[in-house]
Structures are given as C-alpha cells and as structure tokens.
C-alpha cells in the first residue's frame, strides 16, 4: 500500500486528481470505478476544472459507480446517479451511455448480475476510486461482508444510515438497502485509489492500513491488493503508527521521479 499523507482535504483532492488525470492521459479509454459521498466532491470539482483547462479528456472513458440505493429513482436528488450527473458527468465530456450506476429500481438480482457482466465486458476496471466509511466499509460492504463478495444487495448498518441521514429531508423515507459492488469485484480493479479525510475516519484508516485483515474492517482487505494508493489528510492519518515511514517513502519517491 502506498500511503500519501497530505495537509488537508484540498491537497487530497489535488493529489487524487493527479492520479486520475495521469491514468486518462496515459490510457484515454480507461474504465474508471467511481464513488459518491462527501469525500470525492472536491476531487470531482478539481477534475472539472482540469477538464475546463484542457488538461484531461473523458471522451473515450467509461465509468462504473460503486453503489446505489435500492428503490430510489435515478432523478431523486439523493440518488447516486443524480450525484454523479451533478458533480461530474454533466460537467465533462464523458459519453452519457458510457457511465453506469447500478439501477436502484430494477430487480436487484437481475441488476447485480447485469452489472457484473457489464464490468467484465468493458474489460474490467482500470482505476477504482474509493471512499471509506467510518465503520471501515468500502462501497456499501458493511462490516462482516464476505471478502469475496460480488455485486449484490446489502442492508446498510444503522451507523451508515445515520451518517447519510444528513442528505435526506426529515419527511423523506431514507433507503436502508443498497446495491453495491462486492469486495471481490472491487479487488479485481487493476489499481485502487482510496481517499479519506477528517478525524472521524482515523480509526477506520488505522484498521485498514495497520490492523489485521478482517471482515469486521472490510477495507483491510486492500492489504492484499498489489496496487493501492491511499490519499489521506493529516487528521485521517492521525492514528497511524508508521507515519514517519510513509512520509519517508514519499520523500524518497520524490527524489527519484
Ligand atoms: C459511496 C460509497 C461509500 C462512501 C463512504 C464514505 O459511493 O461507496 O463507501 O465512500 O460511505 O462516505 P463519505 O465520503 O460521505 O464520508
């Protein structure tokens, strides 16, 4: 695992945008795996501004989002499809038919099989962007998820529902189920880029990087992936024991590249 510790959320967005842009410049027809939530909002903002400055092009790219709420219309303001349109897809030149988000209104079993098949027929995911739940989830693979799981329906934990309640109006029925890429699906991405910011993520970051691999800390499975970059701010990295080493490695890399 490469652990990059930056000053703040804006530096996390810049460093992550750099990785994504490098991917698209090197391989314009890349298949991207994308995440929603608060953490990648600044990353998408940075990508939009680099696109507007002519530094990156999405014309040949394809994308697959990690997850979507079950029973939610794509036009609902809290659907992950809506989030992606608003923060990225409507603002860059990605082909609308090349963007996939699981369909929350479809028959879940059929939709999960379709999604897996679509990823396979696109040639697999080249670069998967992940956020991190404060309970250690990736996608909506909540603690105790099978580390070999595929795209499927998951019941959200009460913690996750509470964490996401901020996005829903008081009168709205908040979804408790989601379709999510499985951990096995995520682990097949050729490269993984995980972003985490804020002190509320520090415990999950510690478990992911320095804890034992365990279904109770789903992100810890990334220790088995050969190409993972974690981009953290100082608050999210604050509980890591080997911080000096991670900084040292980055210093050495900077001198050799
Ligand atoms: C979103 C997703 C989730 C979030 C995680 C962190 O597509 O898959 O795993 O990345 O819940 O969310 P934020 O960034 O809102 O803290």
């Amino acid at each position: 695992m490469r652990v990059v510790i930056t000053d703040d959320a804006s530096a996390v967005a810049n460093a992550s945008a750099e990785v994504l842009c490098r991917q698209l410049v090197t391989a314009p027809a890349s298949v991207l795996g994308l995440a929603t939530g608060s953490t990648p909002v600044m990353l998408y903002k940075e990508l939009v501004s680099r696109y507007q400055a002519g530094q990156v092009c999405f014309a040949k790219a394809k994308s697959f989002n990690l997850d979507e709420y079950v029973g939610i219309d794509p036009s609902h303001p809290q659907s992950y499809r809506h989030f992606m349109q608003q923060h990225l897809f409507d603002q860059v030149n990605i082909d609308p038919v090349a963007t996939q988000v699981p369909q929350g209104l479809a028959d879940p079993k059929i939709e999960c099989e379709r999604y897996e098949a679509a990823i396979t027929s696109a040639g697999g995911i080249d670069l998967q962007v992940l956020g991190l739940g404060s309970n250690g989830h990736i996608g909506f693979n909540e603690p105790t998820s099978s580390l070999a799981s595929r795209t499927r329906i998951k019941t959200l934990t009460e913690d996750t529902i509470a964490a996401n309640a901020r996005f829903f109006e008081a009168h709205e029925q908040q979804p408790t189920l989601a379709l999510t890429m499985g951990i096995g699906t995520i682990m097949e991405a050729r490269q993984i880029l995980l972003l985490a910011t804020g002190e509320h993520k520090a415990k999950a970051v510690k478990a992911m990087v320095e804890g034992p691999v365990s279904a109770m800390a789903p992100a810890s499975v990334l220790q088995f992936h050969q190409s993972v970059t974690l981009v953290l701010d100082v608050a999210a990295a604050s509980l890591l024991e080997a911080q000096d080493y991670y900084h040292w490695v980055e210093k050495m890399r900077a001198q050799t590249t």
Side-chain angles (χ1 to χ4, degrees), residues 47-213:
L47 286 177
V48 169
S49 86
R50 290 182 190 215
Y51 163 72
Q52 286 166 347
Q55 294 165 7
V56 64
C57 173
F58 293 82
K60 294 186 176 161
K62 291 191 175 119
S63 72
F64 288 89
N65 263 79
L66 282 165
D67 38 28
E68 179 61 280
Y69 290 120
V70 168
I72 208 163
D73 191 279
S75 65
H76 189 289
Q78 296 315 328
S79 78
Y80 286 168
R81 163 57 75 180
H82 186 271
F83 174 101
M84 290 309 301
Q85 293 300 138
Q86 181 189 7
H87 291 285
L88 188 67
F89 299 155
D90 288 343
Q91 300 194 60
V92 298
N93 64 339
I94 197 161
D95 179 355
V97 299
T99 67
Q100 296 233 25
V101 179
Q103 293 170 19
L105 290 181
D107 175 278
K109 191 170 179 301
I110 295 172
E111 175 59 6
C112 292
E113 283 167 12
R114 183 199 70 80
Y115 210 65
E116 285 279 335
I119 294 172
T120 304
S121 86
I125 291 171
D126 293 305
L127 175 60
Q128 175 68 57
V129 176
L130 296 175
L132 178 67
S134 41
N135 65 1
H137 72 211
I138 47 176
F140 274 136
N141 295 286
E142 302 285 32
T144 73
S145 286
S146 158
L147 300 183
S149 50
R150 311 301 306 186
T151 303
R152 70 209 183 292
I153 191 165
K154 274 301 285 182
T155 302
L156 304 178
T157 62
E158 287 177 283
D159 285 354
T160 298
I161 293 166
N164 290 347
R166 67 191 192 277
F167 298 114
F168 290 85
E169 305 284 345
H171 65 272
E172 281 179 319
Q173 177 88 16
Q174 190 184 343
T176 56
L177 299 173
L179 300 183
T180 181
M181 275 188 207
I183 296 178
T185 321
I186 292 169
M187 288 293 280
E188 283 172 9
R190 291 176 192 97
Q191 203 190 330
I192 290 181
L193 173 67
L194 183 144
L195 287 59
T197 57
E199 211 181 327
H200 62 301
K201 300 289 173 77
K203 255 175 86 177
V205 167
K206 164 84 180 150
M208 165 175 65
V209 184
E210 297 176 344
V213 173

